[in-house]
């Protein structure tokens, strides 16, 4: 599949940011790495700061695509296991950008923008939960939107504690198993 100019610019910017840091990186370095003219950058991004939500969206799009590629889960256990595995893997792969995205979103954008970026993921998970709820595999006592938001937040926190803050000392397999056990119990009570 041919890469679009937007994708070229975003990938180039991510590479430059990873090497130089956001503050030292410049638009001229992004376009040089992408092999496009300086003005081309501004056809896609109003400023360098616009890269923050674009990178966050790229990470979440990749995360959701990997989850969807595994297909609809027939059981809650399978769904939770998929979400945990993919989230831990994405967090490990994109750890250079995740903290940057959090700080950049909070500095330059409202949390409504963050919610826009997460919306496709939340909608997908709500449809998965709804299907499992109709099949009697998730409790009907929970409000689905809250359950979705809390589940995503808990899984991401666990992955970030493991890879970003190193607050967790257990190995990945143990951390994932404990998280899965807790979420399945909470969602089936």
């Amino acid at each position: 599949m041919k890469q679009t100019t937007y994708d070229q610019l975003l990938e180039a910017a991510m590479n430059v940011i990873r090497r130089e840091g956001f503050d030292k990186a410049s638009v001229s370095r992004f376009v040089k790495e992408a092999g496009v003219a300086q003005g081309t950058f501004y056809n896609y991004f109003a400023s360098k700061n616009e890269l923050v939500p674009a990178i966050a969206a790229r990470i979440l799009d990749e995360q959701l695509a990997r989850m969807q590629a595994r297909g609809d889960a027939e059981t809650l256990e399978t769904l939770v296991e998929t979400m945990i595995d993919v989230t831990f893997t994405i967090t490990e792969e994109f750890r250079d950008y995740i903290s940057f995205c959090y700080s950049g979103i909070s500095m330059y954008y409202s949390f409504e923008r963050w919610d826009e970026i997460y919306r496709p993921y939340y909608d997908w998970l709500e449809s998965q939960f709804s299907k499992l709820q109709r099949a009697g595999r998730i409790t009907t006592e929970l409000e689905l939107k809250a359950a979705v938001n809390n589940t995503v937040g808990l899984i991401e926190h666990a992955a970030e504690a493991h890879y970003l803050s190193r607050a967790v000392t257990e190995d990945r397999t143990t951390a994932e198993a404990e998280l899965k056990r807790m979420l399945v119990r909470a969602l089936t009570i």
Side-chain angles (χ1 to χ4, degrees):
M1 182 170 116
K2 187 176 184 233
Q3 195 175 37
T4 67
T5 304
Y6 174 88
D7 291 329
Q8 280 178 262
L9 278 166
L10 189 57
E11 186 175 314
M14 289 174 72
N15 290 335
V16 171
I17 289 166
R18 186 179 63 248
R19 285 193 311 267
E20 299 175 13
F22 184 72
D23 291 334
K24 293 179 183 176
S26 66
V27 171
S28 61
R29 296 283 298 126
F30 304 150
V31 297
K32 181 178 180 184
E33 178 124 350
V36 299
Q38 180 98 10
T40 304
F41 179 87
Y42 296 102
N43 290 334
Y44 298 95
F45 305 99
S47 70
K48 182 173 108 170
N49 294 342
E50 288 292 317
L51 289 167
V52 176
I55 292 169
R58 170 65 57 90
I59 294 167
L60 279 165
D61 289 348
E62 179 65 24
Q63 185 170 341
L64 179 57
R66 290 183 192 185
M67 288 181 199
Q68 290 173 326
R70 295 193 183 184
D72 285 350
E74 296 299 318
T75 67
L76 176 61
E77 291 81 1
T78 302
L79 176 61
V80 168
E81 189 173 292
T82 294
M83 291 177 63
I84 291 170
D85 180 52
V86 170
T87 302
F88 271 67
T89 300
I90 287 287
T91 303
E92 181 180 23
E93 288 176 23
F94 290 95
R95 73 174 118 202
D96 294 338
Y97 305 105
I98 292 172
S99 294
F100 155 77
C101 287
Y102 280 145
S103 63
I105 289 282
S106 66
M107 186 178 297
Y108 303 118
Y109 298 93
S110 68
F111 283 99
E112 287 78 19
R113 179 67 175 112
W114 198 245
D115 191 56
E116 288 172 28
I117 293 168
Y118 269 85
R119 181 59 36 215
Y121 182 21
Y122 290 154
D123 290 345
W124 170 80
L125 183 55
E126 187 174 348
S127 74
Q128 296 296 303
F129 275 10
S130 181
K131 183 180 103 172
L132 290 170
Q133 200 174 51
R134 286 190 306 274
R137 296 194 171 132
I138 291 182
T139 181
T140 57
E141 294 176 9
L142 296 174
E143 195 277 314
L144 281 184
K145 288 190 186 313
V148 163
N149 193 335
N150 292 334
T151 300
V152 169
L154 186 59
I155 293 171
E156 286 190 353
H157 176 76
E160 290 161 4
H162 190 77
Y163 287 109
L164 304 180
S165 70
R166 307 266 188 230
V168 177
T169 57
E170 66 224 352
D171 63 278
R172 177 177 169 166
T173 303
T174 303
E176 288 181 348
E178 287 297 314
L179 182 57
K180 177 183 174 187
R181 188 173 15 264
M182 186 183 79
L183 279 169
V184 168
R185 284 183 184 162
L187 293 166
T188 55
I189 290 175

